[in-house]
């Protein structure tokens, strides 16, 4: 079962990877060159961004002398564009709107006609009829097609562009290239976010796969021992012991119950798992098992029962298998996710063996992937909350650092990610006590970050919690 301890670790991992590799969505800066081509290119580039907003249902209004970009009351924000929403939220666009007000006003008489042309276009209809939810790349391509086949071919728009006293053909082409670069940049950033979301889901799936893989490992070790005993019978001049081996280990009742378990069979049908290709790892672990006092005492016992058979594998798994360097190396080669998951998933394997022992041989259910629907939703929501409010949470961190006279630039990036995730949990999960959050993320910092990070994270989280309570953002204890 994937618990919240592991989910928090996964969210921190994915958030770290995403924030480390993403490049922020930016409006291209005004070029340093003051040539006529460059000036016109940038001016037209800004106009084209405003045209995109206009055709997405956004309007520019004034509020206390500053422009505001928001959905028009009657038109509303189209649910088929995320690009316009990102543009509208960009502070640079407000300055562009202020300096290009005349172009925005000139677009108003043409809005309905252009909007209708877009909705009737084959590109828009194909996009709307997509059977699966469109990816951000699909939206980017849609806008590129809209510009090249509709907007830039419209006579009224062409007249607006050509009437600019600074118009140049070179600048026109450069503006189109700049627009294309901005759209591609947005696609790259949003795609990386989509991949991060998928990565979180995949890493949780892989954790649950590891749980079953460790159970299967015990079955495959048993099968390898059975194969060895059978080979010994057929070797040249087999001994009496070779011909009459003690079969107690390979006939272990717990292993047989695990083979017959319906949940195990169902999972393996959907996700086949085998350690047969890890022959070296299997043999080395089996050798350690055969050399252990745990195995020798079990084989020498006058008799065994189902409980004793379970206890054997509980002890072998806890003291030999999980501690094996060979297992760690094998897990690392099989999945980038598994080494970090081994401790937690290993504890659930031990819990499962105990459940088998208490069942006295009766059928049992394996641990579910999540305890309940709340745990299943916890990871995605925590990740989304941390991403959506990342800038705001960073400001909270910096404010506390200023109060503590700590230089924000000296803070390890992993510590920032851990703190942002912890703040997301503090604010958005009312049922989780603050002390639980502090303890969990302190442990994550001790595991993933610098040697002194745990203590530092603890102190800073207490300061952040005090500020959140003082500002009335949280009231929980």
């Amino acid at each position: 079962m994937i618990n919240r301890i592991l989910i928090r670790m996964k969210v921190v991992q994915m958030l770290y990877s995403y924030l480390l590799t993403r490049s922020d969505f930016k409006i291209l800066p005004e070029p340093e060159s003051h040539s006529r081509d460059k000036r016109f290119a940038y001016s037209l580039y800004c106009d084209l961004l405003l045209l995109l907003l206009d055709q997405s249902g956004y309007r520019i209004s004034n509020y206390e002398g500053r422009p505001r970009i928001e959905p028009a009351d009657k038109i509303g924000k189209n649910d088929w564009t995320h690009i316009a929403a990102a543009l509208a939220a960009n502070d640079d666009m407000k300055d562009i709107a202020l300096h290009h007000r005349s172009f925005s006003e000139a677009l108003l008489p043409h809005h309905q006609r252009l909007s209708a042309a877009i909705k009737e276009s084959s590109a828009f209809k194909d996009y709307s009829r997509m059977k699966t939810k469109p990816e951000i790349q699909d939206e980017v391509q849609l806008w590129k097609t809209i510009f090249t086949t509709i907007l830039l071919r419209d006579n009224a728009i062409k007249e607006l562009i050509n009437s600019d006293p600074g118009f140049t053909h070179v600048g026109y082409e450069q503006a189109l290239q700049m627009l294309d670069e901005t759209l591609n940049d947005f696609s790259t950033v949003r795609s990386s976010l989509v991949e991060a979301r998928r990565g979180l889901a995949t890493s949780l799936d892989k954790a649950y796969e590891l749980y079953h893989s460790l159970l299967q490992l015990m079955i495959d070790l048993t099968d390898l021992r059975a194969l060895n005993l059978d080979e010994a019978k057929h070797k040249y001049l087999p001994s009496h012991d070779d011909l009459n081996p003690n079969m107690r280990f390979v006939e272990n009742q717990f292993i047989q119950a695990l083979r017959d378990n319906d949940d195990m069979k169902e999972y393996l049908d959907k996700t086949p798992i085998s350690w047969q290709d890890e022959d070296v790892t299997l043999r080395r672990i089996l050798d350690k098992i055969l050399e252990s006092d745990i195995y020798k005492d079990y084989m020498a016992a006058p008799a065994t029962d189902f409980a004793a058979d379970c206890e054997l594998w509980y002890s072998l798994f806890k003291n030999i298998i999980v501690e094996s360097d060979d297992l760690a190396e094998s897990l690392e080669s099989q999945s980038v996710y598994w080494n970090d998951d081994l401790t937690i998933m290993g504890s659930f394997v031990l819990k499962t063996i105990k459940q088998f022992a208490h069942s006295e041989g009766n059928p049992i259910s394996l641990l579910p992937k999540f305890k309940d629907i709340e745990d299943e939703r916890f990871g995605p929501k925590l990740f989304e909350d941390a991403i959506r409010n990342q800038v705001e949470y960073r400001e909270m961190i910096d404010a506390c650092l200023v109060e503590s006279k700590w230089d924000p630039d000296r803070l390890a990036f992993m510590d920032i990610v851990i703190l942002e995730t912890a703040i997301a949990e503090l604010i958005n999960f009312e049922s989780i006590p603050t002390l639980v959050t502090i303890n969990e993320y302190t442990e994550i910092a001790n595991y993933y970050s610098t040697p002194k990070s745990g203590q530092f994270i603890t102190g800073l989280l207490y300061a952040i919690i005090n500020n959140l309570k003082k500002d009335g953002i949280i009231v929980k204890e």
Side-chain angles (χ1 to χ4, degrees), residues 138-151:
D138 300 317
E139 185 182 323
V140 166
Q141 186 56 51
L142 172 65
W143 273 111
K144 289 182 179 181
T145 303
I146 288 173
F147 269 101
T148 57
T149 63
I150 300 173
L151 299 178

Side-chain angles (χ1 to χ4, degrees), residues 140-358:
V140 166
Q141 186 56 51
L142 172 65
W143 273 111
K144 289 182 179 181
T145 303
I146 288 173
F147 269 101
T148 57
T149 63
I150 300 173
L151 299 178
L152 294 176
R153 290 185 179 183
D154 183 80
N155 289 331
I157 298 299
K158 288 195 290 186
E159 184 177 345
L160 280 174
I161 293 173
N162 292 332
S163 65
D164 190 312
F167 177 87
T168 72
H169 290 287
V170 172
Y172 179 86
E173 294 299 329
Q174 290 177 348
L176 298 187
Q177 292 174 7
M178 294 168 72
L179 177 64
D180 192 69
E181 181 180 343
T182 297
L183 293 175
N184 288 338
D185 178 65
F186 181 75
S187 174
T188 300
V189 172
R190 289 302 297 264
S191 295
S192 66
L193 177 56
V194 170
E195 288 304 314
R197 292 192 188 105
R198 289 174 178 166
L200 175 60
T202 299
S203 66
L204 293 173
D205 288 342
K206 294 297 289 185
Y208 197 50
E209 181 183 332
L210 176 59
Y211 167 67
H212 290 85
S213 184
L214 293 172
L215 293 174
Q216 182 64 36
L217 175 59
M218 294 184 286
I219 294 175
D220 287 347
L221 285 167
T222 302
D223 289 344
L224 177 59
R225 180 55 178 164
L227 177 64
N228 291 344
L229 294 177
D230 184 68
E231 289 176 344
K233 291 180 181 180
H234 299 91
K235 71 180 183 180
Y236 183 68
L237 297 178
S239 66
H240 178 269
D241 289 340
D242 291 334
L243 295 172
N244 301 278
N246 185 339
M247 301 295 288
R248 179 177 291 177
F249 182 80
V250 298
E251 293 176 353
N252 184 278
Q253 296 178 73
F254 161 69
I255 295 298
Q256 189 57 49
L258 187 56
R259 290 185 199 274
D260 296 337
N261 183 269
D262 290 339
D263 289 346
M264 189 70 175
K265 289 179 179 178
E266 181 180 354
Y267 186 87
L268 293 178
D269 284 342
K270 297 177 181 177
T271 311
I273 297 171
S274 174
W275 289 79
Q276 300 302 324
D277 293 337
E278 298 292 323
D279 182 68
V280 174
T281 300
L282 277 178
R283 291 184 182 279
R284 287 178 176 175
I285 294 176
L286 182 59
D287 287 343
K288 291 177 181 177
I289 288 174
L290 300 180
E291 294 168 0
S292 69
D293 291 337
I294 298 170
Y295 171 82
K296 292 175 182 177
D297 290 344
Y298 170 79
M299 297 298 287
T304 62
D305 54 18
F306 187 80
D309 286 0
C310 290
E311 181 59 35
L312 168 73
W313 279 105
Y314 185 93
S315 298
L316 290 176
F317 189 86
K318 180 179 180 180
N319 297 291
I320 297 176
I321 296 176
V322 171
E323 298 297 324
S324 170
D325 292 335
D326 296 301
L327 175 63
E329 291 178 10
S330 178
L331 293 180
E332 186 174 1
S333 67
Q334 293 184 60
S335 171
V336 295
Y337 302 104
W338 278 358
N339 262 347
D340 288 341
D341 304 343
L342 178 58
T343 300
I344 293 176
M345 289 298 107
S347 70
F348 291 137
V349 169
L350 293 174
K351 183 177 180 179
T352 300
I353 298 173
K354 283 291 186 183
Q355 289 180 338
F356 270 93
H358 294 152

Side-chain angles (χ1 to χ4, degrees), residues 4 7-22 189-204 374-391 393 417 420-426 428-429 441:
R4 293 195 176 189
I7 294 172
R8 290 183 179 96
M9 292 173 63
K10 294 297 183 183
V11 171
V12 168
Q13 290 172 358
M14 293 302 151
L15 189 61
Y16 178 84
S17 298
Y18 168 68
L19 294 177
L20 192 66
T21 58
R22 79 170 186 180
V189 172
R190 289 302 297 264
S191 295
S192 66
L193 177 56
V194 170
E195 288 304 314
R197 292 192 188 105
R198 289 174 178 166
L200 175 60
T202 299
S203 66
L204 293 173
E374 288 187 5
D375 272 14
E376 183 176 355
R377 294 172 177 171
F378 176 67
K381 177 170 170 46
L382 180 61
F383 181 82
E384 293 295 335
D385 289 335
I387 286 290
R388 184 172 57 252
N389 304 293
Q390 191 248 338
V391 174
Y393 296 163
V417 174
E420 289 173 353
T421 311
I423 294 171
E425 182 173 311
L426 288 167
N428 299 288
F429 293 87
Y441 289 96

